[in-house]
Amino acid sequence: MDKFSLLGIITLVIVFIALLLAIFLFTVKTKNKVGNRLMGVYFTIFAIHISVFFYAKYIELPLVLNMLRDQIAFLSSPLLFLYVLSSVYSDFKLQPKHLLHLIPFAIEILLYAPGFYLASEEERIIFTNNFHSNPEVKFSSLYGFIVSITYLILIFMTLKKYKLLLLESYSNNNRFNYKWLYQLTLLLSFIFVFSTAKQIYKYVGDDIEVLNMMRIILTLLLLGFLSWIVLKSMYYPELFRSIDTKHLLVKNLIETSENKQTSDDKFIVQVEKLQKYMETEEPYLDSSLTIHKLANQLNLPFKDISILINHHIGKHFFDFINEYRIKKAITLLENPLNEKLTILEILYDVGFNSKSPFNTAFKKHTGFTPTQYRKKIS
């Protein structure tokens, strides 16, 4: 079996999986319909773009269609960015302003218009036969790199803000989709780097065997990427939770606050009230505790309590609440009457809902894992 045949078989599998995922995303019943449809379109475009490695040996498409198949990839990065936005924000809706994300694709079409799309069929054939020597193609490669890098930066910036919002407002964030989105972006970044290396070699290298091998490796990476997504969707069907777009970072709350300066006396009173409530009522035992819930319980505006904890006390809400949980866990571990309690029972009792974040928080606070700490004091 030659390398091209192997490439075709791998591509066929990838196209099948991508289209299957797209159909699933278009038809599955979920709250995040916009996000699923955006990702469904993303996988459809992905399948169309990569299909050339399968059909090129058997089918000769019209030159215009083949060019559009190649350039449709300029919609991928914008779609991925919009998908991340729709996954992060529960009230995300597609609006007319989002049509601006069609600009990269439109510019690419306009770039090729004079020498290809508006040219005669004979001129298109000449353009295709000398494809890589055309200035439009060389510029397009650089332009595509800039577009992809720009959107990756935008995605990472969005995820950075998302993570900070989770830390400032939620006491348990393992049920949110931050890790999934971050892993997705990292994997795509790695594939993008390898794809860029392949593109560079296409222009500077002269060994077709090396280029074909790079193509096979790239398609295998894509196959692994799609398989990972399938496994994620199978193991974590309820993975996704999102936040409201009106949810502001604490620095923005301070900027919009009418009283930006809090007096020392008022600050001391608020802190004492908060600490007394935490110690007597133990609201942190609620695994789903959020800063909104705590504000309601204290009968204080959300803005005030958020600024108090995240700004004045100088701790993210996530860390602030987990410190109380760990102190409670230490008390339970040190009590001889609780020696039969398992670590799992203790973590649930103090407000955590899974072992990994409990172990991480406990070690951060004490320097030991819960098990090591129990052995240390026994």
Side-chain angles (χ1 to χ4, degrees):
M1 181 183 296
D2 59 32
K3 289 185 176 62
F4 193 88
S5 298
L6 177 60
L7 190 63
I9 293 172
I10 298 172
T11 301
L12 180 60
V13 174
I14 292 173
V15 169
F16 175 78
I17 295 175
L19 291 177
L20 198 62
L21 276 170
I23 293 171
F24 170 75
L25 289 167
F26 284 134
T27 57
V28 67
K29 294 181 179 179
T30 178
K31 291 181 180 179
N32 190 16
K33 291 182 180 179
V34 175
N36 281 353
R37 287 167 184 169
L38 286 169
M39 205 57 169
V41 175
Y42 176 87
F43 282 126
T44 302
I45 288 174
F46 175 82
I48 293 172
H49 177 65
I50 200 174
S51 62
V52 63
F53 294 121
F54 168 70
Y55 75 74
K57 196 173 182 180
Y58 313 103
I59 303 172
E60 186 173 339
L61 289 180
L63 294 178
V64 171
L65 285 181
N66 197 47
M67 185 66 76
L68 285 172
R69 175 210 55 78
D70 187 53
Q71 294 177 326
I72 201 174
F74 277 83
L75 294 172
S76 297
S77 292
L79 280 169
L80 185 64
F81 174 63
L82 292 174
Y83 167 73
V84 170
L85 289 180
S86 70
S87 297
V88 167
Y89 299 110
S90 58
D91 56 342
F92 175 85
K93 294 180 180 179
L94 287 175
Q95 301 175 24
K97 66 179 182 180
H98 292 128
L99 291 174
L100 292 174
H101 292 287
L102 293 174
I103 290 177
F105 176 68
I107 291 176
E108 175 72 359
I109 296 296
L110 290 174
L111 177 66
Y112 279 74
F116 184 81
Y117 289 111
L118 299 179
S120 64
E121 188 64 22
E122 291 76 15
E123 290 172 324
R124 289 173 186 164
I125 293 173
I126 295 172
F127 186 96
T128 304
N129 291 338
N130 301 281
F131 190 75
H132 294 296
S133 62
N134 291 304
E136 297 97 326
V137 177
K138 294 178 180 178
F139 178 81
S140 176
S141 297
L142 177 61
Y143 172 61
F145 176 81
I146 293 171
V147 169
S148 297
I149 285 291
T150 300
Y151 274 100
L152 281 175
I153 291 172
L154 288 174
I155 290 171
F156 277 116
M157 288 173 62
T158 301
L159 292 180
K160 182 180 179 181
K161 180 182 177 183
Y162 182 36
K163 182 181 181 181
L164 192 54
L165 282 169
L166 293 179
L167 289 173
E168 288 183 355
S169 304
Y170 296 89
S171 61
N172 268 318
N173 59 23
N174 57 302
R175 289 179 295 171
F176 287 82
N177 56 355
Y178 170 78
K179 287 184 179 179
W180 147 258
L181 293 173
Y182 190 74
Q183 290 169 357
L184 176 70
T185 308
L186 278 182
L187 283 173
L188 285 173
S189 298
F190 177 76
I191 293 173
F192 166 71
V193 169
F194 189 85
S195 177
T196 301
K198 179 186 74 69
Q199 285 295 108
I200 293 173
Y201 187 84
K202 186 188 292 186
Y203 288 102
V204 301
D206 55 3
D207 192 332
I208 190 65
E209 291 295 316
V210 173
L211 182 60
N212 284 335
M213 183 58 67
M214 293 181 76
R215 286 170 174 164
I216 290 174
I217 293 173
L218 180 60
T219 52
L220 286 173
L221 286 173
L222 293 171
L223 180 59
F225 168 69
L226 289 176
S227 300
W228 173 75
I229 291 178
V230 170
L231 288 173
K232 277 284 187 180
S233 63
M234 289 172 62
Y235 284 116
Y236 305 101
E238 302 296 330
L239 180 66
F240 307 110
R241 287 185 67 188
S242 45
I243 57 179
D244 198 287
T245 53
K246 298 183 181 68
H247 207 132
L248 298 176
L249 290 170
V250 106
K251 64 178 182 179
N252 301 122
L253 290 175
I254 294 171
E255 290 172 0
T256 58
S257 178
E258 293 179 3
N259 183 16
K260 296 182 182 180
Q261 299 297 325
T262 302
S263 66
D264 290 340
D265 291 340
K266 185 178 179 181
F267 169 66
I268 293 170
V269 170
Q270 289 178 333
V271 171
E272 288 177 349
K273 181 181 179 181
L274 175 61
Q275 290 176 338
K276 183 179 179 181
Y277 184 79
M278 296 298 294
E279 291 166 2
T280 57
E281 301 299 325
E282 299 183 328
Y284 52 85
L285 299 181
D286 176 8
S287 64
S288 62
L289 182 67
T290 68
I291 202 164
H292 289 85
K293 280 187 179 181
L294 184 60
N296 289 335
Q297 292 170 12
L298 288 164
N299 198 26
L300 287 172
F302 156 73
K303 183 185 295 185
D304 290 354
I305 195 70
S306 182
I307 293 174
L308 179 65
I309 296 174
N310 292 296
H311 179 65
H312 290 301
I313 293 179
K315 295 177 182 177
H316 291 312
F317 178 74
F318 177 83
D319 294 322
F320 176 76
I321 295 300
N322 281 343
E323 280 189 13
Y324 280 95
R325 288 173 174 165
I326 296 304
K327 288 176 183 177
K328 182 73 173 181
I330 291 172
T331 301
L332 293 176
L333 285 168
E334 291 179 345
N335 189 339
L337 298 176
N338 296 323
E339 61 181 353
K340 290 186 178 180
L341 279 180
T342 66
I343 298 298
L344 196 62
E345 288 173 322
I346 289 175
L347 75 88
Y348 284 128
D349 285 345
V350 301
F352 286 91
N353 51 24
S354 63
K355 195 172 182 178
S356 178
F358 174 61
N359 286 341
T360 301
F362 196 95
K363 190 167 186 178
K364 179 181 178 181
H365 190 79
T366 66
F368 301 94
T369 65
T371 303
Q372 289 171 340
Y373 189 84
R374 172 171 265 177
K375 290 178 180 179
K376 174 177 172 287
I377 62 176
S378 61

